[in-house]
């Protein structure tokens, strides 16, 4: 048997994807998967230290780990017209963005990459775990916050104001799917094993779609927001055809974002093949 450490976030889209394969609901062959659940920015940092065999990361973090990892075709999160939300307690004129302090879910996140791409004048940023950002804005600790995960479904009922949906900005300017997160595997894992792991992830997603009740307990054990509608909306938004298989369109979107980040000086250049 082959023990494989696998990192992913406790958010509903990830626990939905990985439930079947880590709990023996599908055949995983010779692989025993050892899950490590952590906030996405923590996963990004762990990947930079090459601590996990397979792991979810932000697309924005991939360039920094590309020497050690390749992107698998299954398990990614891409959206169309939806992305991280820039919110505040009160409306803020865009001309004042250079003066605001923005809470971000980590400097290596795709959310921060997009913020730096579209609003480079925002330089005063405070890093914190994604689940603390709403409260930091509500209490006035920060002027604005960059929300990911369940936050996009709860911010308005908590009294926050949407300044920009960076997914909408991306869609208006770029008009291709927005890559947010992906699953990576060590380059040192054999090609046949990487292919098999990729197929197992795909099978786990297919199982989750066919048996939506099966993963509910695991999802609720780890969800930050317990409202069932929020959980279901979160999964529906971020687990889609690109999660099953990136395909040409998904791969091209990832390559585009990574190249744009490098061209703007926000990401290092990548010298090795990106995909498995």
């Amino acid at each position: 048997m082959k023990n494989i450490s696998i990192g992913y976030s406790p958010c509903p889209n990830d626990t939905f994807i990985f439930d079947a394969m880590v709990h023996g609901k599908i055949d995983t062959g010779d692989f025993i998967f050892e899950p490590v659940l952590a906030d996405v920015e923590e996963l990004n940092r762990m990947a930079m230290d090459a601590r996990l065999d397979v792991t979810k990361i932000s697309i924005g973090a991939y360039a920094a780990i590309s020497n050690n990892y390749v992107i698998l075709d299954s398990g990614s999160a891409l959206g169309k017209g939806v992305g991280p939300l820039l919110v505040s307690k009160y409306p803020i004129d865009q001309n004042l963005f250079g003066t605001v302090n923005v809470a971000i879910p980590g400097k290596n996140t795709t959310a921060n990459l997009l913020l730096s791409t579209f609003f480079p004048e925002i330089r005063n940023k405070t890093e914190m775990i994604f689940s603390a950002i709403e409260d930091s804005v509500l209490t006035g600790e920060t002027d604005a916050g960059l929300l990911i995960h369940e936050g996009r479904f709860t911010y308005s009922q908590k009294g926050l104001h949407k300044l920009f949906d960076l997914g909408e900005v991306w869609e208006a300017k770029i008009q291709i799917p927005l890559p947010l997160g992906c699953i990576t595997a060590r380059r040192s894992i054999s090609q046949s094993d990487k292919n098999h792991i990729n197929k197992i992830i795909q099978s786990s997603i297919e199982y989750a779609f066919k048996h939506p009740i099966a993963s509910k307990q695991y999802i609720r054990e780890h969800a930050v927001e317990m409202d069932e509608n929020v959980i279901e909306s979160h999964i529906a938004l971020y687990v889609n055809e690109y999660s099953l298989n990136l395909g040409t369109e998904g791969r091209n979107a990832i390559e585009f974002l990574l190249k744009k980040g490098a061209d703007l000086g926000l990401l290092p250049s990548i010298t090795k093949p990106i995909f498995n």
Side-chain angles (χ1 to χ4, degrees):
M1 303 299 286
K2 300 176 181 178
N3 288 38
I4 299 290
S5 58
I6 182 165
Y8 50 90
S9 83
C11 294
N13 59 314
D14 282 351
T15 47
F16 176 83
I17 284 173
F18 292 105
D19 171 63
M21 60 184 281
V22 300
H23 291 119
K25 297 173 183 178
I26 60 170
D27 182 10
T28 60
D30 294 334
F31 296 102
I32 297 174
F33 291 100
E34 302 170 343
V36 176
L37 276 68
D39 170 65
V40 67
E41 181 69 344
E42 185 177 352
L43 292 172
N44 291 337
R45 291 193 292 264
M46 292 172 75
M48 289 176 187
D49 293 333
R51 289 170 55 187
L52 298 168
D53 299 316
V54 176
T55 186
K56 172 78 171 280
I57 63 157
S58 303
I59 297 292
Y62 178 70
I65 69 162
S66 59
N67 283 341
N68 292 320
Y69 289 89
V70 292
I71 298 175
L72 300 182
D73 272 323
S74 293
S76 289
L78 281 78
K80 285 189 173 180
V82 293
L85 296 180
L86 184 63
V87 302
S88 61
K89 195 171 182 179
Y90 307 104
I92 300 174
D93 191 299
Q94 188 176 340
N95 291 324
L96 299 176
F97 275 12
T99 66
V100 299
N101 177 19
V102 178
I104 62 170
K107 65 179 181 180
N108 303 299
T109 58
T110 310
N112 185 48
L113 173 61
L114 294 169
L115 187 69
S116 299
T117 298
F118 295 128
F119 302 107
E121 66 272 27
I122 297 177
R123 297 181 181 275
N124 187 7
K125 302 174 182 180
T126 301
E127 291 186 74
M128 62 183 67
I129 190 166
F130 77 94
S131 55
I133 290 177
E134 285 176 318
D135 283 345
S136 81
V137 180
L138 287 168
T139 61
E141 178 186 353
T142 56
D143 302 310
L146 195 55
L147 301 182
I148 59 174
H149 303 320
E150 294 99 321
R152 74 170 298 109
F153 305 105
T154 61
Y155 75 94
S156 59
Q157 66 196 50
K158 293 183 179 180
L160 293 175
H161 172 82
K162 182 179 79 172
L163 299 172
F164 286 97
D165 183 329
L166 300 189
E168 292 177 355
V169 178
W170 175 273
E171 180 74 14
K173 293 178 178 291
I174 314 297
Q175 298 179 337
I176 62 174
L178 172 58
L180 297 165
C182 63
I183 306 300
T184 60
R186 289 186 191 274
R187 291 185 184 273
S188 59
I189 296 174
S190 73
Q191 188 62 51
S192 61
D193 281 355
K194 287 199 290 281
N195 291 343
H196 194 183
I197 292 167
N198 186 72
K199 289 179 181 177
I200 291 170
I201 295 172
Q202 187 177 61
S203 295
S204 190
I205 298 170
E206 290 170 344
Y207 182 95
F209 278 136
K210 290 177 183 176
H211 307 88
I213 303 301
S215 59
K216 281 189 179 294
Q217 180 180 345
Y218 188 51
I219 292 167
R220 291 183 69 83
E221 283 175 9
H222 297 284
V224 172
E225 294 290 341
M226 299 302 291
D227 182 89
E228 196 64 33
N229 290 328
V230 171
I231 290 173
E232 290 180 1
S233 297
H234 186 104
I235 293 168
L237 198 61
Y238 294 117
V239 187
N240 50 39
E241 68 268 29
Y242 300 110
S243 305
L244 283 165
N245 192 312
L246 282 171
T248 301
E249 188 176 33
R251 286 185 172 209
N252 288 345
I254 289 173
E255 288 181 331
F256 180 90
L257 178 56
L258 292 171
K259 184 177 186 304
K260 186 171 187 63
D263 289 345
L264 292 172
L266 300 171
L267 299 176
S269 297
I270 296 171
T271 59
K272 293 185 176 182
I274 295 172
F275 301 103
N276 179 43

